[in-house]
């Protein structure tokens, strides 16, 4: 069982930034993730372009040197892997965190890899930086687990000539509906609101609104899905019940943070907002030695914290941890 100063849970941009700070502080650390490095980016649509400019996506003092003002997914994947290489970050990938228990001046953390083996690691501190993209929100209706009902979208080409229903009214739903339509799909957008959300990207919003107004993309506004069955999407609309025949459905209504993971590490989580109990100045939670970083701090309000306003979390965590390592850690409560 290895001894660590810091175990970082989450290999996204925030986790990588924490790792870079830990490397510069000469800490013994490890970055663990239930997926690959920047798994969330791998799950983003293949042709996605970031809303954020390249300079605000930079971490660890490493320039994001691409010609485009707003990088795309491929450029971001290359950049963040460059950060991992530059700082020689150590990873334990494809491991699910199972539990953590107090152990003197730190914790013993249990995980399970894809091979089914359970692993134990002793660490003085833990930084939770899993983001929110790991868990797609669900409608909670019958048939949602059918194989043709999907919560993640990558690219349009397999849907040429098909009727695709997109559920949602935010950025993801609008962009996916447009890309599917432009690549030969017949698209119906289903949204519980009267119009797409005002927060849709400023260059996407008029595009989707014009396509809807022209009837090029069909819509069912002020409508909600009540069930899926036999390639039928059952809707409750202002005109009553309606059934749409579809080849595929994408439910794109957002994501939620993994509150259960936080609780397994002793972090108190507000049951309504899912905001974890933490000190914003140090990122330390109610459990001494357990830190919460990145978008995970914002709970359900996932549009509040992004890469650009959480890049300094790594520095806050490592500086606070260095202060703790100079004296015995308090007994974990």
């Amino acid at each position: 069982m290895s001894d660590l100063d810091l175990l970082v849970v989450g290999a996204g941009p925030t986790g990588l930034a924490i790792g870079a700070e830990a490397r510069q502080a000469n800490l013994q650390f490890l970055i663990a993730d239930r997926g690959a490095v920047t798994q969330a980016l791998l799950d983003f649509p293949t042709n996605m372009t970031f809303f954020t400019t390249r300079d605000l996506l930079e971490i660890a003092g490493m320039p994001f040197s691409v010609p485009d003002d707003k990088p795309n997914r491929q450029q971001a994947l290359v950049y963040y892997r460059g950060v991992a290489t530059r700082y020689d970050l150590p990873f334990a990938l494809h491991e699910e965190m199972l539990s953590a228990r107090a152990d003197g001046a730190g914790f013993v953390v249990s995980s399970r890899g894809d091979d089914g083996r359970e692993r134990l690691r002793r660490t003085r501190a833990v930084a939770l930086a899993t983001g929110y993209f790991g868990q797609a929100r669900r409608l909670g209706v019958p048939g949602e687990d059918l194989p043709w009902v999907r919560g993640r979208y990558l690219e349009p080409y397999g849907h040429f000539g098909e009727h695709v229903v997109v559920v949602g009214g935010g950025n993801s739903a609008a962009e996916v509906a447009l890309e599917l339509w432009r690549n030969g799909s017949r698209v119906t957008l289903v949204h519980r609101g009267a119009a797409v959300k005002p927060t849709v990207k400023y260059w996407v919003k008029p595009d989707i609104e014009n396509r809807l107004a022209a009837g090029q993309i069909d819509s069912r506004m002020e409508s909600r899905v009540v069930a899926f069955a036999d390639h039928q999407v059952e809707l409750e609309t202002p005109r009553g019940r309606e059934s749409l025949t579809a080849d595929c459905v994408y439910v794109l209504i957002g994501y939620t943070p993994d509150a259960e993971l936080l609780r397994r590490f002793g972090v108190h989580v507000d049951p309504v907002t899912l905001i974890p109990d933490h000190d914003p100045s140090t990122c330390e939670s109610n459990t001494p030695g357990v830190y919460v970083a990145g978008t995970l701090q914002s709970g359900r309000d996932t549009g509040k914290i992004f890469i650009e306003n959480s890049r300094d979390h790594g520095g806050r965590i490592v500086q606070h941890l260095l202060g703790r390592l100079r004296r015995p850690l308090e007994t974990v409560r």
Side-chain angles (χ1 to χ4, degrees), residues 14 56 126 150:
T14 299
L56 295 179
V126 176
R150 304 172 187 176

Side-chain angles (χ1 to χ4, degrees), residues 1-4 101 103 107-109 119-123:
M1 186 163 56
S2 59
D3 288 319
L4 300 169
R101 61 177 174 83
D103 180 57
F107 310 89
V108 172
V109 179
R119 295 169 175 82
L120 297 176
R121 295 185 178 93
R122 184 183 292 111
T123 182

